[in-house]
Amino acid sequence: MKENREWNPYYLNSPCAMGPEQRAFPWLYPYGDQMSYWNMWNSPEQMEDEMDTRRLRELYPLMARRLQPYVEETCMRLEYPGSMMYDEYPDRLSLLMKSKEVWENAGKNEDFGEKAPAWEELQDLIGVLLLQEMLRRRKKNRSRSGGMLY
């Protein structure tokens, strides 16, 4: 044995360490590694909310499911103190600009084929997805910071 830690399956560089696709019990951490669960370990309500959100998003229409990752990416970039996401009254024009940004990112990375929908057709859907994601993040931030927004 070359190293003391060589036999340990939890040691990342170990030859016997298993990747996520080789885990013995994949159902134990269905949404990623156990490290993502540390923050929710002492908050079963938060864990339940997260699982509900994921289950209900599976029922979204196809276009909404394709656009959701771009909405999440845009909202992730808006999570900083003083962001328009945490304004008491978000501005309609800035929401429209952010939804246009979501559509442009989706247009660059997604292949919608010949029948690609126009911006005007999806403007309302993207706006609703963006508002829903912003509401979810505001609620999470409010519960984490004890009622204070940034």
Side-chain angles (χ1 to χ4, degrees):
M1 190 191 276
K2 296 177 185 173
E3 291 184 32
N4 262 348
R5 295 179 286 186
E6 191 172 10
W7 63 272
N8 189 346
Y10 300 106
Y11 179 58
L12 293 178
N13 296 327
S14 171
C16 61
M18 292 186 283
E21 64 281 345
Q22 300 170 345
R23 286 200 178 102
F25 304 106
W27 48 265
L28 194 57
Y29 301 109
Y31 301 119
D33 291 344
Q34 67 186 28
M35 296 307 286
S36 62
Y37 285 85
W38 284 110
N39 294 336
M40 294 188 272
W41 184 260
N42 292 324
S43 178
E45 296 86 15
Q46 186 179 358
M47 179 71 109
E48 187 176 343
D49 286 346
E50 188 68 27
M51 287 172 34
D52 277 347
T53 301
R54 289 181 189 268
R55 272 190 233 114
L56 292 176
R57 282 185 180 165
E58 291 173 359
L59 300 174
Y60 279 1
L62 178 63
M63 186 56 73
R65 278 184 282 159
R66 289 179 78 177
L67 292 171
Q68 185 64 36
Y70 302 105
V71 169
E72 290 175 4
E73 178 185 343
T74 301
C75 285
M76 189 169 34
R77 281 187 267 140
L78 286 173
E79 283 191 298
Y80 58 88
S83 167
M84 55 98 41
M85 181 169 23
Y86 299 114
D87 288 346
E88 188 173 352
Y89 299 105
D91 180 25
R92 186 179 293 264
L93 180 62
S94 53
L95 287 171
L96 184 65
M97 290 172 50
K98 287 299 172 187
S99 56
K100 181 76 171 175
E101 180 183 322
V102 167
W103 176 242
E104 289 170 356
N105 287 341
K108 289 177 192 172
N109 299 320
E110 289 284 326
D111 181 25
F112 292 111
E114 293 178 12
K115 295 186 178 184
W119 157 246
E120 291 79 20
E121 296 173 10
L122 292 177
Q123 179 178 353
D124 292 337
L125 174 64
I126 295 173
V128 169
L129 288 173
L130 189 62
L131 286 170
Q132 189 270 335
E133 184 66 22
M134 287 173 65
L135 178 66
R136 191 177 76 82
R137 289 173 187 251
R138 285 168 63 124
K139 182 180 176 185
K140 186 167 56 171
N141 182 53
R142 208 175 287 128
S143 67
R144 188 176 19 174
S145 64
M148 296 289 292
L149 290 174
Y150 283 116

